[in-house]
Amino acid sequence: MELDHKDSADALFDSTYMRWFHLNGKPSLVKIVKVEKCVEMTLPGGIPAKKPVVTVEQVKGDITDMKPLVLNKTNARAIAAIASNKPSQWQGAEIVLTPTTTKMWNKDLKRMDTVGCIRIRAKKDAK
């Protein structure tokens, strides 16, 4: 299933952080300019959490609204494999942000749903 970045209910709501629809359906090459370890935020359902966040600047692409990117473990491991296992060495690394989908448990509907997400890959894979 492919999600429509131009007509998504998710895009109706203001977002402090970058979301998949900000990429306009295309990969974007970005450079990491800042890494923050434990940014306090509220997850869906009002759950407080501390998550790592990277601030990026666009090198090549069509990102409509540059915002910091909250990292999940999958994306943090991808950056570690590309740049370094030490987040202190990530600044200046160029990575490709790619909009895609993943399966996620919807606790309200009690089923797996396909949702939009951002994945990270190496610059050499950019096309």
Side-chain angles (χ1 to χ4, degrees):
M1 174 183 170
E2 188 173 320
L3 298 177
D4 184 356
H5 70 280
K6 293 180 182 175
D7 192 22
S8 168
D10 288 346
L12 292 174
F13 300 92
D14 186 34
S15 176
T16 304
Y17 299 101
M18 189 177 308
R19 302 282 311 276
W20 62 273
F21 49 81
H22 291 123
L23 299 177
N24 287 313
K26 297 179 254 175
S28 290
L29 178 64
V30 298
K31 180 167 61 172
I32 297 173
V33 295
K34 183 178 177 184
V35 180
E36 297 175 84
K37 186 176 178 182
C38 293
V39 176
E40 292 187 21
M41 60 187 64
T42 304
L43 300 178
I47 301 167
K50 291 183 179 181
K51 298 284 184 181
V53 173
V54 293
T55 301
V56 297
E57 65 182 27
Q58 188 164 230
V59 175
K60 183 178 179 184
D62 190 25
I63 299 173
T64 54
D65 194 2
M66 288 302 297
K67 297 180 179 223
L69 176 66
V70 177
L71 294 181
N72 57 25
K73 286 184 182 180
T74 299
N75 286 341
R77 289 178 182 142
I79 295 172
I82 295 164
S84 168
N85 201 40
K86 297 178 180 181
S88 61
Q89 296 178 2
W90 292 359
Q91 188 171 343
E94 291 187 349
I95 57 175
V96 177
L97 305 181
T98 304
T100 189
T101 59
T102 191
K103 294 282 189 179
M104 181 177 263
W105 181 253
N106 183 321
K107 68 178 183 175
D108 295 329
L109 299 176
K110 295 182 175 38
R111 69 171 192 218
M112 295 298 284
D113 277 346
T114 300
V115 297
C117 69
I118 294 174
R119 289 293 181 243
I120 294 172
R121 65 180 194 235
K123 176 182 173 181
K124 66 181 178 194
D125 296 336
K127 299 226 185 310

